[in-house]
């Protein structure tokens, strides 16, 4: 791929600033856990797996900040504050909490062995590298498992950006598309623009075009009629959190696309790594849905388009009920209903 979503070099995390795409390709240097949390909150980096990788690096930076303190109490306080700040940065993508828990568990084990703080920080950085490498490998495996599900010679519709920009690279939904096209399938790719942040228009279209993959962009409101037209063979989307019963939280608008796909008899596939499973959430009602600022809806860029003072409903995500999900494609294989059994079996398999 022609871009790097995130990387660690010269003692800092670098994030591709996705707010500036497609106009400019700039990396932001991050040296502290607080700066990393800000970058996640402000959508410099976004997409559940990429948020997880960034948070892992952010916590490793927090451990390095803690190691500069001489007392164990101060080290603990700084580390815990870093973890809480990162945890609060965005609520829906469970990969964030998953990555923080993974690094915190590692730290607790090392601390119990009385290892020095700078050694612990080095281990946490190595773990962040591992989280990122594993995510890239998972995306490739998701692509390989998902490609056979893609109908030959039909269109594929995707919503939001579940591509290399949303992961350590390659993508989940776009990973399946990349793998299907790579296997020689002839499919036209359609991307919803994805109001209000325009992840489809600004990110998915740009990312696919960077790779020479032709893509047709449509306004979100055109998705139902495109699905009804018979041109689309399947919908493929990513996920921010998948509950134990197979309910899927993803970018707002996914639920509407799922309803329209169901009405048109088009399968909807969800592509996501196991790190996006939240089996502690019994169903979608237990998934926290991020509410974002009103100006994202009342303005396009910096231009006001809605009457001053209007009330705004701006959830960043919605929940697609499991009944509308034809399959969930993971790095360990494809799950189908009944998800309460198949997701648990995949999570426990190795
Ligand atoms: O608000 P965003 O841009 O972080 O939302 C991203 C999505 O909803 C993606 O579809 C999801 O995180 C999966 S990314 C592989």
């Amino acid at each position: 791929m022609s871009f790097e979503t995130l990387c660690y070099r010269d003692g800092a995390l670098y994030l591709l600033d996705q707010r500036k795409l497609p106009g400019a390709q700039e990396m932001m240097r991050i040296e502290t856990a607080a700066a990393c949390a800000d970058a996640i909150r402000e959508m410099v980096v976004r997409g559940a797996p990429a948020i997880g990788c960034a948070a892992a690096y952010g916590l490793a930076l927090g451990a390095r900040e803690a190691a500069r303190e001489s007392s164990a109490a101060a080290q603990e306080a700084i580390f815990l504050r870093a973890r809480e700040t990162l945890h609060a940065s965005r609520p829906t993508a469970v990969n964030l909490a998953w990555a923080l828990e993974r690094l915190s568990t590692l730290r607790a084990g090392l601390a119990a062995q009385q290892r020095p703080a700078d050694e612990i920080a080095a281990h946490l950085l190595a773990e962040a590298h591992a989280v990122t490498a594993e995510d890239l490998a998972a995306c490739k495996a998701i692509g390989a498992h998902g490609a056979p599900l893609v109908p030959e010679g039909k269109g594929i519709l995707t919503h939001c950006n579940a591509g290399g920009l949303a992961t350590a690279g390659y993508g989940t939904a776009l990973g399946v598309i990349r793998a299907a096209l790579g296997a020689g399938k002839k499919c036209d790719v359609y991307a919803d623009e994805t109001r209000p942040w325009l992840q489809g228009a600004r990110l998915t279209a740009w990312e696919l075009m960077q790779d020479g993959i032709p893509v047709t962009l449509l306004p979100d409101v055109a998705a139902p009629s495109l699905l009804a037209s018979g041109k689309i063979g399947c919908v493929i989307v990513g996920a921010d959190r998948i509950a134990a019963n197979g309910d899927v939280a993803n970018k707002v608008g996914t639920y509407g696309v799922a309803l329209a796909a169901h009405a048109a008899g088009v399968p909807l596939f969800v592509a996501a790594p196991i790190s996006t499973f939240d089996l502690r959430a019994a169903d979608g009602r237990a998934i926290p849905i991020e509410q974002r600022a009103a100006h994202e809806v009342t303005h396009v860029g910096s231009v006001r388009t809605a009457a001053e003072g209007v009330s705004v409903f701006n959830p960043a995500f919605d929940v697609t009920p499991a009944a509308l999900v034809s399959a969930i494609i993971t790095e360990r294989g494809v799950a189908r209903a009944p998800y309460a059994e198949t997701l648990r079996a995949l999570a426990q398999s190795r």
Side-chain angles (χ1 to χ4, degrees), residues 43 46-49 51 90 159-163 166-167 172 199 238-240 250-251 271 290 316-317:
M43 311 270 284
R46 31 64 53 201
I51 290 172
R90 288 196 78 191
H159 187 73
C160 194
N161 173 269
T167 60
T172 55
Q199 286 93 334
D240 282 80
N250 191 47
K251 179 52 54 191
E290 177 183 9
F317 302 96

Side-chain angles (χ1 to χ4, degrees), residues 251-276:
K251 179 52 54 191
V252 68
T254 303
Y255 181 29
V257 172
L259 287 167
H262 183 71
V266 174
L268 176 126
F269 301 130
V270 173
I274 304 283
S275 53
T276 302

Side-chain angles (χ1 to χ4, degrees), residues 14 37 47 62 85 95 110 140 144 188-189 196 200 209 229 236 255 258 263 269 283 285 303 310 321-322 325 329 350:
Y14 284 82
T85 311
N95 305 61
L110 293 166
K140 298 263 172 74
D188 298 322
V189 183
M209 289 169 80
S229 73
I236 312 179
Y255 181 29
F269 301 130
D283 58 38
R285 288 170 300 183
V303 178
V310 69
V325 177
I329 306 162
R350 265 271 163 212

